[in-house]
């Protein structure tokens, strides 16, 4: 894995905008992500790819976020793309384009959720979706854990960037070709990252305790985007896309 790859990940960040996508209900955006992930595993023709790509491009345009920001996430997983390409060329060359497209689509569409939805809205959306199971599982706790996990990704990449710069100033070479040296430099990055993540987790827990955060208790939501007519219309469109991909 490339060291540079660690500092090119934008997934998990939130970009505050006044766009159409930002104003959609977080419940719809989570449901839409699930529908699109299901759809992507049923594609079997180029017309499916064209249809899903058109929807994806419109989503990126209406999110009012630079398209290069989305495409940067593709570059960050270039090693996985090359790995899938090699596997397909060896075992099933006919599925190469489909497999690469599936991974790229999921990465970009998942990024759209975090780019356009704040932490509180993601938590609210997950809580609303899991509410029917509230008597069986700790819905609020699960929603908070998932949200914090997603939001920790950019924090860890920022810490990795700081550690890499600090080690470069100490004369450590990250561009060497020797496998043993590469492993040594990776260990020198991952161990401090692990220690820092534990410290930040402990600090976050203390802050939540100081703010009297009540685990397992339902909370009200202020200024959260509620479900509107446009969410219903877009949900119908998502279901229509899923139906076309599966049955046609």
């Amino acid at each position: 894995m490339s060291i540079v790859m660690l500092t090119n990940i934008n997934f998990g960040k939130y970009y505050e905008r006044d766009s159409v996508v930002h104003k959609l209900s977080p419940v719809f955006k989570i449901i839409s992500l699930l529908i699109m992930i299901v759809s992507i595993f049923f594609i079997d023709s180029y017309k499916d790819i064209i249809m899903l790509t058109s929807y994806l491009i419109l989503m990126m345009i209406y999110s009012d976020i630079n398209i290069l920001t989305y495409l940067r996430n593709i570059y960050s997983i270039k090693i996985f793309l090359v790995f899938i390409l090699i596997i397909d060329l060896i075992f099933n060359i006919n599925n190469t384009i489909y497999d690469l497209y599936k991974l790229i689509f999921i990465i970009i569409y998942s990024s759209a959720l975090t780019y356009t939805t704040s932490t509180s809205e993601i938590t609210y959306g997950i809580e609303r979706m899991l509410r029917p199971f509230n008597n069986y599982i700790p819905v609020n706790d699960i929603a908070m854990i998932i949200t914090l996990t997603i939001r920790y990704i950019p924090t860890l990449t920022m810490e990795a960037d700081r550690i890499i710069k600090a080690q470069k100033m100490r004369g450590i070479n990250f561009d060497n070709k020797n496998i043993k040296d590469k492993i040594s430099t990776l260990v020198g990055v991952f161990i401090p990252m692990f220690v820092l993540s534990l410290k930040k987790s402990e600090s976050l827990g203390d802050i939540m305790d100081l703010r009297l955060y009540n685990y397992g208790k339902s909370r009200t939501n202020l200024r959260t985007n509620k479900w509107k007519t446009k969410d219903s219309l877009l949900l119908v469109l998502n279901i229509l896309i899923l139906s076309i991909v599966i049955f046609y």
Side-chain angles (χ1 to χ4, degrees):
M1 182 171 61
S2 173
I3 287 289
V4 178
M5 177 180 161
L6 291 171
T7 58
N8 286 330
I9 300 174
N10 291 314
F11 183 81
K13 293 182 180 179
Y14 171 64
Y15 294 87
E16 189 173 355
R17 301 284 191 277
D18 190 29
S19 71
V20 174
V21 180
H22 281 74
K23 294 178 181 178
L24 293 173
S25 168
V27 178
F28 163 74
K29 283 186 271 191
I30 295 172
I31 294 174
S32 177
L33 174 62
L34 296 176
I35 291 175
M36 287 302 163
I37 289 176
V38 173
S39 300
I40 205 67
F41 287 106
F42 284 93
I43 61 170
D44 57 1
S45 66
Y46 289 113
K47 69 175 180 61
D48 293 336
I49 291 179
I50 293 172
M51 179 175 61
L52 289 169
T53 302
S54 300
Y55 183 83
L56 185 65
I57 291 173
L58 287 173
M59 180 274 302
M60 288 190 288
I61 292 172
Y62 281 103
S63 68
D64 196 24
I65 296 173
N66 194 322
I67 292 180
L68 291 177
T69 303
Y70 290 101
L71 298 182
R72 207 169 289 130
N73 284 333
I74 299 175
Y75 179 76
S76 69
I77 60 165
K78 59 183 181 297
I79 292 179
F80 299 105
L81 293 175
V82 171
F83 177 75
I84 291 175
L85 177 62
I86 293 172
I87 294 297
D88 280 343
L89 290 177
I90 295 174
F91 296 102
N92 193 352
I93 193 171
N94 295 325
N95 286 337
T96 302
I97 294 177
Y98 293 132
D99 290 341
L100 292 175
Y101 179 78
K102 289 174 184 178
L103 181 58
I104 291 171
F105 184 93
I106 291 174
I107 291 296
I108 294 179
Y109 208 88
S110 301
S111 300
L113 174 64
T114 59
Y115 288 173
T116 63
T117 316
S118 66
T119 304
S120 59
E121 287 189 331
I122 292 178
T123 305
Y124 166 78
I126 297 173
E127 286 177 351
R128 292 282 295 182
M129 289 183 62
L130 297 179
R131 184 170 292 179
F133 307 99
N134 205 26
N135 293 329
Y136 308 101
I137 57 176
V139 170
N140 296 323
D141 293 350
I142 291 174
M144 180 60 68
I145 290 169
I146 294 174
T147 305
L148 291 177
T149 301
I150 293 172
R151 290 307 183 203
Y152 242 75
I153 296 173
T155 302
L156 289 177
T157 55
M158 288 174 63
E159 292 295 342
D161 188 39
R162 290 174 56 189
I163 293 168
I164 290 169
K165 288 178 179 177
Q167 296 207 15
K168 282 183 176 179
M169 291 181 67
R170 293 171 184 164
I172 296 177
N173 181 18
F174 286 91
D175 299 322
N176 48 56
K177 303 296 183 180
N178 188 286
I179 298 296
K180 183 178 179 180
D181 292 337
K182 276 186 175 291
I183 293 174
S184 177
T185 54
L186 282 173
V187 170
V189 172
F190 283 124
I191 291 179
M193 277 181 62
F194 180 72
V195 174
L196 284 170
S197 64
L198 289 178
K199 289 182 178 179
K200 285 186 176 292
S201 298
E202 185 178 359
S203 175
L204 179 61
D206 292 338
I207 291 170
M208 294 176 76
D209 287 336
L210 287 171
R211 293 180 177 179
L212 302 179
Y213 181 87
N214 294 317
Y215 298 93
K217 303 294 183 181
S218 60
R219 294 173 296 279
T220 58
N221 295 275
L222 180 63
R223 301 189 188 93
T224 301
N225 292 324
K226 304 297 183 180
W227 191 278
K228 300 175 183 176
T229 304
K230 59 185 176 183
D231 296 300
S232 300
L233 294 175
L234 285 172
L235 179 60
V236 172
L237 177 60
N238 278 206
I239 295 173
L240 180 61
I241 291 174
L242 175 62
S243 302
I244 293 172
V245 171
I246 294 177
F247 299 109
Y248 295 96

